[in-house]
Amino acid sequence: MESSNHEYINLNYLDQVAGDDTKTRATLLDLIAKELEEIIPQLLPLYSANAWEAIKSHVHRMKTTLAFAGNAEMITANNQIWKVLVAMESPESTGPMIQTLTANYLHIVGELKTELLSMKES
């Protein structure tokens, strides 16, 4: 299924995985949106608490989710956080990257939900 033009998401990978199966595509769109809404808001409080292992666990979980959403800036920030926390060298340096995730995720969720709604309407 061909995706519409979006500003914040690129669904090429999702479409490659789902193929022509609209049910799988819709399920993936819904799951990605829900996971972003669940995980990203937790990162700033965890950062404030220096909960590096919890953040590492969350960003590890987000690798696949963000690949499906296809936002290069978010993927890069997530991968940078992961690398810093695996090495545990200056974990406090992840703050700006967490801010990037926090600043952008609602735009991505909005576009995912719009895409899902457009599928239901067609």
Side-chain angles (χ1 to χ4, degrees), residues 69-89:
N71 180 286
E73 184 178 14
M74 296 272 287
I75 292 168
T76 299
N78 194 71
N79 288 339
Q80 288 172 336
I81 295 166
W82 171 254
K83 287 177 186 173
V84 168
L85 295 180
V86 166
M88 277 310 287
E89 295 176 7

Side-chain angles (χ1 to χ4, degrees), residues 54-71:
I55 295 170
K56 187 169 99 175
S57 175
H58 286 327
V59 298
H60 179 71
R61 182 175 167 192
M62 296 304 301
K63 286 180 178 185
T64 304
T65 302
L66 291 172
F68 279 119
N71 180 286

Side-chain angles (χ1 to χ4, degrees), residues 86-112:
V86 166
M88 277 310 287
E89 295 176 7
S90 301
E92 64 282 347
S93 70
T94 59
M97 297 164 247
I98 290 173
Q99 288 288 355
T100 297
L101 296 178
T102 303
N104 290 308
Y105 87 97
L106 288 175
H107 298 296
I108 293 167
V109 168
E111 287 191 354
L112 291 167

Side-chain angles (χ1 to χ4, degrees), residues 2 4 7 10 30 37-38 49 52 57 64 74 80 84 95:
E2 191 69 27
S4 306
E7 184 176 350
N10 179 333
D30 186 53
E37 289 176 311
E38 175 190 340
W52 311 124
S57 175
T64 304
M74 296 272 287
Q80 288 172 336
V84 168

Side-chain angles (χ1 to χ4, degrees), residues 1 4 6 9 11 22 25-30 33 108-122:
M1 172 174 259
S4 306
H6 298 285
I9 61 175
L11 300 177
T22 56
R25 187 174 193 275
T27 299
L28 287 170
L29 287 168
D30 186 53
I108 293 167
V109 168
E111 287 191 354
L112 291 167
K113 289 181 177 182
T114 298
E115 185 71 20
L116 185 56
L117 184 60
S118 73
M119 286 181 64
K120 291 179 179 178
E121 291 174 350
S122 33

